[in-house]
Amino acid sequence: QVQLVESGGGLVQPGGSLRLSCASSGSVFRVNAMGWYRQAPGKERELVAAITSGGITNYADSVKGRFTISRDNAKNTAYLQMNSLKPEDTAVYYCNADIRRLYYTASVVYWGQGTQVTVSS
């Protein structure tokens, strides 16, 4: 059984920082791309940042220059460093990962349970 476990959310003041973590548990053959999405109340889920297994990154325009995605392939863990947070960053943040459990199986996209990030004074 593969699970993605997120941590690091919370309440922070505008201008503050948070670091989210997403760890995959269970036996896997390979973790391909990993990403962070967010969903604010009344809005659709949107991509925040993504990173390939080789370290190529992609960001939403709204977070470029403020957020940094990274990963530790040895730990099958992705991180999202969020700086200069704004109230509009308030949302539930979800991690996802494209995972191949066994060498002979196709990869499947898994999602974490989500972690709340609230930016407010």
Side-chain angles (χ1 to χ4, degrees):
Q1 184 86 15
V2 174
Q3 286 187 315
L4 297 180
V5 180
E6 299 136 337
S7 60
L11 173 64
V12 64
Q13 292 187 342
S17 298
L18 282 174
R19 188 190 194 213
L20 305 182
S21 297
C22 170
S24 61
S25 63
S27 177
V28 300
F29 173 69
R30 180 176 296 157
V31 179
N32 298 315
M34 301 183 77
W36 288 96
Y37 288 72
R38 68 186 180 187
Q39 187 166 20
K43 295 188 176 182
E44 293 186 354
R45 189 174 297 188
E46 62 174 358
L47 173 68
V48 176
I51 185 168
T52 68
S53 58
I56 298 173
T57 59
N58 180 45
Y59 296 93
D61 288 343
S62 58
V63 306
K64 283 181 180 177
R66 300 188 298 123
F67 291 10
T68 302
I69 188 170
S70 61
R71 63 189 287 170
D72 184 331
N73 289 334
K75 296 180 180 180
N76 290 331
T77 299
Y79 306 95
L80 185 67
Q81 178 67 44
M82 305 185 293
N83 299 327
S84 302
L85 282 161
K86 305 175 181 180
E88 50 264 42
D89 294 317
T90 296
V92 178
Y93 283 70
Y94 298 90
C95 169
N96 84 343
D98 184 63
I99 296 174
R100 179 178 288 186
R101 291 190 60 196
L102 301 169
Y103 75 93
Y104 55 84
T105 60
S107 61
V108 174
V109 176
Y110 292 84
W111 289 88
Q113 80 285 357
T115 184
Q116 177 70 45
V117 171
T118 302
V119 184
S120 175
S121 55

Short mmCIF file of all heavy atoms in Angstrom, two decimals, residues 3 9 13 22 27 32 37-38 62 74 95 113 115-116:
data_model
loop_
_atom_site.label_atom_id
_atom_site.label_comp_id
_atom_site.label_asym_id
_atom_site.label_seq_id
_atom_site.Cartn_x
_atom_site.Cartn_y
_atom_site.Cartn_z
N GLN A 3 1.21 5.30 0.28
CA GLN A 3 0.53 6.49 0.79
C GLN A 3 1.46 7.68 0.71
O GLN A 3 2.68 7.56 0.83
CB GLN A 3 0.11 6.29 2.25
CG GLN A 3 -1.07 5.37 2.45
CD GLN A 3 -1.54 5.34 3.89
OE1 GLN A 3 -0.74 5.26 4.81
NE2 GLN A 3 -2.85 5.43 4.09
N GLY A 9 1.79 22.21 7.34
CA GLY A 9 0.84 23.30 7.20
C GLY A 9 0.60 23.99 8.52
O GLY A 9 1.08 23.58 9.57
N GLN A 13 1.49 34.49 9.49
CA GLN A 13 1.15 35.87 9.16
C GLN A 13 1.62 36.21 7.74
O GLN A 13 2.57 35.59 7.23
CB GLN A 13 1.81 36.82 10.15
CG GLN A 13 1.24 36.73 11.55
CD GLN A 13 1.81 37.80 12.47
OE1 GLN A 13 2.84 38.39 12.19
NE2 GLN A 13 1.12 38.05 13.58
N CYS A 22 6.19 16.10 1.87
CA CYS A 22 5.34 15.03 1.35
C CYS A 22 6.20 13.79 1.23
O CYS A 22 7.09 13.73 0.37
CB CYS A 22 4.77 15.42 0.00
SG CYS A 22 3.92 14.07 -0.86
N SER A 27 6.48 0.22 -0.12
CA SER A 27 7.53 -0.18 -1.04
C SER A 27 7.20 0.27 -2.46
O SER A 27 6.11 0.03 -2.95
CB SER A 27 7.67 -1.71 -1.01
OG SER A 27 8.64 -2.13 -1.95
N ASN A 32 8.28 8.99 -9.91
CA ASN A 32 8.55 9.88 -11.05
C ASN A 32 8.28 11.33 -10.62
O ASN A 32 8.80 11.77 -9.61
CB ASN A 32 7.74 9.44 -12.25
CG ASN A 32 8.11 8.05 -12.72
OD1 ASN A 32 9.29 7.70 -12.82
ND2 ASN A 32 7.11 7.22 -12.97
N TYR A 37 -0.37 20.83 -5.29
CA TYR A 37 -1.57 21.52 -5.77
C TYR A 37 -2.21 22.20 -4.55
O TYR A 37 -1.92 21.86 -3.41
CB TYR A 37 -2.56 20.53 -6.38
CG TYR A 37 -2.14 19.97 -7.71
CD1 TYR A 37 -1.10 19.05 -7.81
CD2 TYR A 37 -2.80 20.34 -8.88
CE1 TYR A 37 -0.70 18.54 -9.03
CE2 TYR A 37 -2.42 19.84 -10.11
CZ TYR A 37 -1.37 18.93 -10.17
OH TYR A 37 -0.99 18.43 -11.39
N ARG A 38 -3.10 23.12 -4.84
CA ARG A 38 -3.85 23.74 -3.75
C ARG A 38 -5.28 24.01 -4.19
O ARG A 38 -5.56 24.18 -5.38
CB ARG A 38 -3.18 25.03 -3.27
CG ARG A 38 -3.19 26.17 -4.27
CD ARG A 38 -2.38 27.34 -3.74
NE ARG A 38 -2.36 28.46 -4.69
CZ ARG A 38 -1.62 29.55 -4.53
NH1 ARG A 38 -0.82 29.66 -3.47
NH2 ARG A 38 -1.66 30.52 -5.43
N SER A 62 1.74 32.62 -10.12
CA SER A 62 1.40 33.33 -8.88
C SER A 62 2.39 33.05 -7.75
O SER A 62 2.41 33.79 -6.76
CB SER A 62 0.00 32.94 -8.42
OG SER A 62 -0.09 31.54 -8.22
N ALA A 74 16.30 9.84 -2.36
CA ALA A 74 16.63 8.72 -1.47
C ALA A 74 15.53 8.48 -0.45
O ALA A 74 15.34 7.35 0.03
CB ALA A 74 17.95 9.01 -0.76
N CYS A 95 -0.35 17.09 -2.05
CA CYS A 95 0.82 16.54 -2.73
C CYS A 95 0.36 15.43 -3.66
O CYS A 95 -0.60 14.70 -3.34
CB CYS A 95 1.79 15.98 -1.68
SG CYS A 95 3.13 14.99 -2.33
N GLN A 113 -3.50 13.51 1.66
CA GLN A 113 -4.78 13.86 2.25
C GLN A 113 -5.00 15.36 2.33
O GLN A 113 -6.11 15.82 2.59
CB GLN A 113 -4.88 13.24 3.66
CG GLN A 113 -4.15 14.01 4.76
CD GLN A 113 -2.64 13.86 4.72
OE1 GLN A 113 -2.07 13.13 3.90
NE2 GLN A 113 -1.96 14.56 5.61
N THR A 115 -3.09 19.34 3.45
CA THR A 115 -2.72 20.06 4.68
C THR A 115 -3.13 21.52 4.54
O THR A 115 -2.92 22.13 3.49
CB THR A 115 -1.20 19.93 4.97
OG1 THR A 115 -0.89 20.55 6.21
CG2 THR A 115 -0.35 20.55 3.87
N GLN A 116 -3.73 22.05 5.57
CA GLN A 116 -4.26 23.42 5.52
C GLN A 116 -3.15 24.44 5.73
O GLN A 116 -2.36 24.33 6.68
CB GLN A 116 -5.34 23.60 6.59
CG GLN A 116 -5.92 25.01 6.66
CD GLN A 116 -6.77 25.37 5.47
OE1 GLN A 116 -7.61 24.57 5.03
NE2 GLN A 116 -6.56 26.56 4.91
#
